[in-house]
C-alpha cells in the first residue's frame, strides 16, 4: 500500500525535465512545484493520524487510496503552470499514507520488534520513490514509441500509478484488518479513541523527533523531487539515465531503513531509549557529512559515491526515528505518528525554498542542508529521551508496562 502511494506521489518527479520543457517552467516555478508536492502532506498526516485513531488504519488507507488516485489520473489535464501546481498539491495528500503504515505496524507487532517492523514497512514503501524514478521514464519512452508526442506521453504515463492505487485499495480492504484481534468496530479499543489527550503535545521529545525527521525524511523527499533535474543539469545526463541514478537512491530503502530499525531495537535492548537517541544523533551527523561531500563532488562518479553514503545514513535515521516514536504515547499513537511524520514534510517544504531561490545553486542548497542536518544531529545527541531512568514506564490501555 505504501509502496504504491509513494509511486504515485513521486511519479511526476523523473518526468520533470520533459514537463519543464513542455510548460516552459522557470527555476522558481519548479521550486514552487516541489514545495507544493510535499506541503499538502503536512496537513494530511496530522488529519490522517487522528482518523487512524477513530476509523482504524484499514478504512483510512482504502479511502485515501481511492481519493488520492483522482488527482493522479487527472494531472494530465493540466495545461499551464497554475493548474499543474494545484494538481501537484492535491497529489501530495497521498503522502499521508505513511502515518497509516506506521500506525498499522505498531498495532500488529510486539514492542521489542516495533522498530524493525516499522522500518521494513516504511522502507519498502519509500522504495516506491526509487522504483518510480526508474520505471516512469521507461513508461514515458514506451508511450513515445507508440507515436505519441512527449507532451502527451508524460500525461498518459500517470494513468499507471492511478490504476495501481485503485487495485491496492481493493486488496487492502479485502485482505487486512486493523489489529490481530480484529477491526476497530469489532473490539473495545475503537470506543477508547473518541477523544484526544492534548497534554501529549507538552512532551518535548515529540518535537525533537519531529525536527529530526524533517532532516532525514524531509531530505529524502526533497532528493526524490530534485535528483533527476540535478543530474540532467549538472552532469548532462539524459532523462532516462538521470532517472536511473535517482532510482538508485530510492532503492537503498530495500535494506537501509530496515537496518536502522533493527539497529534501533538492538540499541534499545542494550541501552534503553537513550541508546536509540544516541544512534539517531550519529546517523544524522553522518548524513550531513555525506550531503556536504555530495555538494562538493566534481564528477558523476564521486557524486554517486557520496549519494550512496548520505542515502545510507539518511534512511537508517528514518528507521531509528520510528523505532522511538511508538514508545512516546500509546493512547494517542495516531496523533504522535502524524506529528512526527508531518515534520518530515515540513523539512521537505522548507528545503524546497532553497532549491527555488535564484540566488542559490543546487550545490549551495545541498551544502546548507548538510550543515543544518549535522546541527540537528548535535541537538538530538544532547536530548534525554528517558530523563528519569533507563527503564521508562509507559501505559498501554490503562495497564502500566515497563519497556526497555
Amino acid at each position: 500500500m505504501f509502496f504504491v502511494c509513494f509511486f504515485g506521489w513521486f511519479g511526476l518527479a523523473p518526468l520533470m525535465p520533459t514537463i519543464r520543457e513542455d510548460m516552459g517552467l522557470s527555476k522558481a516555478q519548479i521550486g514552487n512545484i516541489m514545495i507544493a508536492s510535499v506541503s499538502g502532506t503536512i496537513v494530511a498526516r496530522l488529519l490522517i493520524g487522528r482518523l487512524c485513531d477513530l476509523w482504524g488504519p484499514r478504512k483510512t488507507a482504502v479511502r485515501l487510496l481511492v481519493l488520492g488516485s483522482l488527482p493522479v489520473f487527472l494531472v494530465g489535464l493540466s495545461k499551464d503552470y497554475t493548474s499543474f501546481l494545484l494538481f501537484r498539491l492535491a497529489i501530495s495528500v497521498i503522502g499521508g499514507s505513511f502515518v497509516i503504515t506506521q500506525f498499522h505496524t505498531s498495532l500488529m507487532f510486539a514492542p521489542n520488534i516495533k522498530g524493525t517492523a516499522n522500518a521494513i514497512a516504511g522502507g519498502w514503501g519509500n522504495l516506491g520513490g526509487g522504483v518510480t524514478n526508474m520505471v516512469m521514464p521507461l513508461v514515458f519512452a514506451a508511450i513515445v514509441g507508440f507515436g505519441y508526442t512527449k507532451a502527451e506521453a508524460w500525461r498518459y504515463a500517470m494513468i499507471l500509478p492511478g490504476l495501481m492505487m485503485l487495485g491496492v485499495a481493493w486488496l487492502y480492504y479485502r485482505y487486512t484488518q486493523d489489529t490481530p484481534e480484529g477491526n476497530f468496530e469489532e473490539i473495545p479499543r475503537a470506543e477508547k479513541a473518541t477523544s484526544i489527550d492534548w497534554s501529549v503535545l507538552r512532551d518535548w521529545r515529540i518535537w525533537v523527533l519531529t525536527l529530526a525527521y524533517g532532516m532525514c525524511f524531509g531530505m529524502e523527499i526533497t532528493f526524490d523531487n530534485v535528483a533527476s533535474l540535478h543530474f540532467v543539469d549538472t552532469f548532462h545526463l539524459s532523462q532516462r539515465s538521470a532517472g536511473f541514478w535517482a532510482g538508485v537512491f530510492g532503492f537503498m530503502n530495500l535494506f537501509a531503513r530496515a537496518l536502522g530499525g533493527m539497529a534501533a531495537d538492538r540499541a534499545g535492548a542494550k541501552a534503553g531509549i537513550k541508546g536509540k537517541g544516541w544512534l539517531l544523533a550519529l546517523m544524522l551527523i553522518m548524513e550531513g557529512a555525506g550531503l556536504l561531500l555530495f555538494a562538493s563532488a566534481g564528477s558523476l562518479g564521486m557524486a554517486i559515491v557520496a549519494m550512496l553514503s548520505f542515502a545510507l545514513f539518511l534512511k537508517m535515521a528514518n528507521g531509528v526515528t520510528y523505532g522511538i516514536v511508538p514508545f512516546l504515547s500509546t493512547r494517542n499513537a495516531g496523533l504522535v505518528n502524524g506529528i512526527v511524520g508531518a515534520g518530515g514534510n515540513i523539512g521537505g517544504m522548507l528545503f524546497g525554498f532553497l532549491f527555488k531561490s535564484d540566488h542559490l545553486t543546487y550545490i549551495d542548497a545541498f551544502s546548507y542542508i548538510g550543515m543544518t542536518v549535522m546541527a540537528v544531529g548535535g541537538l538530538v545527541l544532547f536530548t534525554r529521551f528517558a530523563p528519569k531512568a533507563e527503564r521508562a514506564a509507559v501505559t498501554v490501555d490503562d495497564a502500566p508496562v515497563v519497556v526497555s
Side-chain angles (χ1 to χ4, degrees), residues 357-372:
S357 174
D358 290 325
H359 304 293
L360 297 174
T361 65
Y362 282 5
I363 292 173
D364 293 333
F366 284 124
S367 298
Y368 291 140
I369 293 171
M371 290 184 282
T372 303

Side-chain angles (χ1 to χ4, degrees), residues 57-320:
R58 175 172 164 269
K59 288 184 178 179
T60 307
V62 170
R63 291 166 182 174
L64 178 64
L65 283 162
V66 173
L67 292 176
S69 70
L70 296 179
V72 173
F73 278 125
L74 299 176
V75 66
L77 299 177
S78 56
K79 300 297 183 182
D80 53 26
Y81 160 69
T82 301
S83 58
F84 185 81
L85 180 71
L86 293 175
F87 274 116
R88 200 68 184 93
L89 179 65
I91 290 173
S92 71
V93 173
I94 300 169
S97 55
F98 170 75
V99 177
I100 303 170
T101 302
Q102 300 298 286
F103 185 86
H104 208 169
T105 44
S106 293
L107 289 177
M108 297 296 286
F109 291 87
N112 63 316
I113 56 169
K114 281 186 192 293
T116 301
N118 281 345
I120 291 175
W124 279 68
N126 290 5
L127 175 64
V131 173
T132 196
N133 269 299
M134 291 183 172
V135 170
M136 290 302 284
L138 298 179
V139 174
F140 169 85
I143 296 173
V144 171
F146 281 112
Y148 293 93
T149 66
K150 291 183 177 180
E152 294 171 329
W154 75 260
R155 302 169 193 274
Y156 291 131
M158 289 302 291
I159 294 175
L160 173 62
L163 291 174
M164 292 168 64
M165 291 175 68
L166 290 181
V168 172
W170 181 82
L171 290 173
Y172 212 81
Y173 180 80
R174 179 68 177 80
Y175 293 108
T176 68
Q177 61 186 44
D178 292 321
T179 73
E181 294 79 23
N183 293 319
F184 269 28
E185 63 267 23
E186 302 166 348
I187 58 176
R189 180 186 174 92
E191 299 173 2
K192 296 183 179 181
T194 55
S195 63
I196 298 177
D197 179 11
W198 292 104
S199 66
V200 72
L201 300 183
R202 294 200 296 267
D203 188 343
W204 49 270
R205 297 174 302 167
I206 293 173
W207 302 109
V208 172
L209 286 180
T210 299
L211 183 60
Y213 202 57
M215 296 300 104
C216 50
F217 183 71
M219 185 60 229
E220 177 168 0
I221 57 178
T222 297
F223 198 80
D224 282 336
N225 263 325
V226 78
S228 288
L229 285 171
H230 177 66
F231 285 128
V232 167
D233 294 344
T234 304
F235 301 107
H236 310 294
L237 301 184
S238 67
Q239 179 171 276
R240 184 182 300 184
S241 296
F244 172 81
W245 289 114
V248 169
F249 171 83
F251 258 84
M252 294 287 285
N253 280 301
L254 276 171
F255 65 92
R257 184 162 183 152
L259 183 62
M262 289 185 282
D265 285 339
R266 279 178 162 267
K270 291 184 177 181
I273 197 169
K274 69 178 181 181
K276 295 183 180 183
W278 293 340
L279 179 62
L280 177 58
L282 176 62
M283 294 300 99
L284 289 173
I285 291 170
M286 296 301 293
E287 175 198 340
L291 277 165
L292 292 175
L293 181 62
F294 179 78
S296 62
S299 66
L300 177 63
M302 189 63 186
I304 298 302
V305 171
M307 179 188 74
L308 296 178
S309 173
F310 83 77
L312 173 64
F313 297 113
L314 177 156
K315 296 170 194 299
M316 285 187 68
N318 286 337
V320 177

